[in-house]
Amino acid sequence: MISFLALFFILSCKSTSAEGTRIKTDFITSFDQEPFYIQAKNSFEEKRLSNGIPLIIKTSTAQKDCTVRLVIDAESLSNPEQKAGIEEITLKLMKFGSASYSSNYISSLEYTDSAFFELKAHRDYLEFGFTAPLSSLENICAVFADVFKNPLMDTEDFESLINEASELLEKNKDDARQSLLNGACEVLSLQDKYFTVNTYSAKTKLTYQDVFSYQKALLNASKIKIVASGNFTLKDVEKLYSDLNSQFGSLKSRAYKKRSPAVKTLDLPAEIRTVSGDGLFNECLMGVYKIPPVCSEEYVKYSLMTLFIDDILYRDIKEKNGYADDIGSGIIAGNIPLGVIMACGLHSQKDLISYSAELIQKAFESGTLDKKIDSFRRIYTSVVMSSELSSSKTCSQMATSLVYSGNASEYIKRPYLIRTVTAEDVKKAYDETLGSKILWFKVSRE
């Protein structure tokens, strides 16, 4: 919706329960003793289409439908500011159908087959796929493949999408949060163009030819990986492979420049930057700080840290004192991931930056985390484990793991890793990053 939000994953924006059954960790000393990992590790099968495209299929008896999704590398853009939003607009335009399957027909599939096309444009990759009952898989796969390879790409539909994006931009122009996120992107992009706003913005200047060319560039076997999840039998797996190979196995491979940061790390000085915007002065605050790579073992500690910070700040600043309409802590995933604290709708002259730091420090010193660590472990674990009930959510987990670790099943290790994190680990993570250096942004009217 706004600049970073394609990558902005708020783990929790409400106070969390401190009570509940404690997670027992003593008897689990390896991955092969963790129930979730044991159950899931043999449910993945990897194949390759005739042109080399990887196909990773996960079988889950808990899922009632199935999802097939293309995971496509985002390409480096020659002018990222003017081309901002091209990925999402291209995927939306493709969803309008092909010469063989109209937009109305695709929409009707929701009612006739309970089938839904899905699209997501992230900073590092794109997801384009569908969810459907197993009984409709073959038919929907054929429709989806034709839409991907031979979209109608009507110029009137393009103009409609551009007008829609422009209207949304105008509607949100007085939103201080939008100004803050865009301003932060501009500051970070001075160090690396990788952080340029990647959603439609006031600087976007897209032509139909831009989008048409971008769509053609997606038909590149070198860019594509496929993930699928559902209640498949062995026969279903073979049939799915056959269908996907016939539809996508003929795509050619071509060289391309994958989008990736040029710098290995960002310089985030401990200071406050003011960004311009139409919103009210200081209505929103956002702090960013460095965290380890996504899918690394260290990343889990920082994810739990964001849950703890979110809980402490939300309870005091929003619920108890009403200093802000909302406040939350989260993570911007990416090849250079960032931790985030954001407060919006400020109602106090209190210095929330120093006040937040004091709250967090006092919570650590009082032993609050020792009392709550099990609750935060349970919340984080449930995010991973609950995805097993949804083929769509499972594919999202697989896509993230595939992009950031090279292994679609990497996420199933997370419940075990969560169990091993102690309150001391979280405190150390805080001291090494957010406790010592965080770059803050605030909005001011020019």
Side-chain angles (χ1 to χ4, degrees), residues 275-292:
V275 299
S276 62
D278 295 324
L280 298 177
F281 175 75
N282 210 29
E283 185 182 356
C284 287
L285 284 170
M286 183 176 77
V288 296
Y289 55 94
K290 303 172 187 176
I291 61 172

Side-chain angles (χ1 to χ4, degrees), residues 5 45 48 61 90 93 116-117 140 145 147 213 291 318 330 370 376 378 388 430:
L5 290 193
E45 182 174 357
R48 290 199 174 255
T61 57
T90 301
L93 189 58
F116 302 86
F117 278 28
I140 304 303
V147 166
S213 298
I291 61 172
K318 176 176 171 57
D370 297 277
F376 297 133
R378 191 166 56 253
E388 292 299 281
Y430 174 80

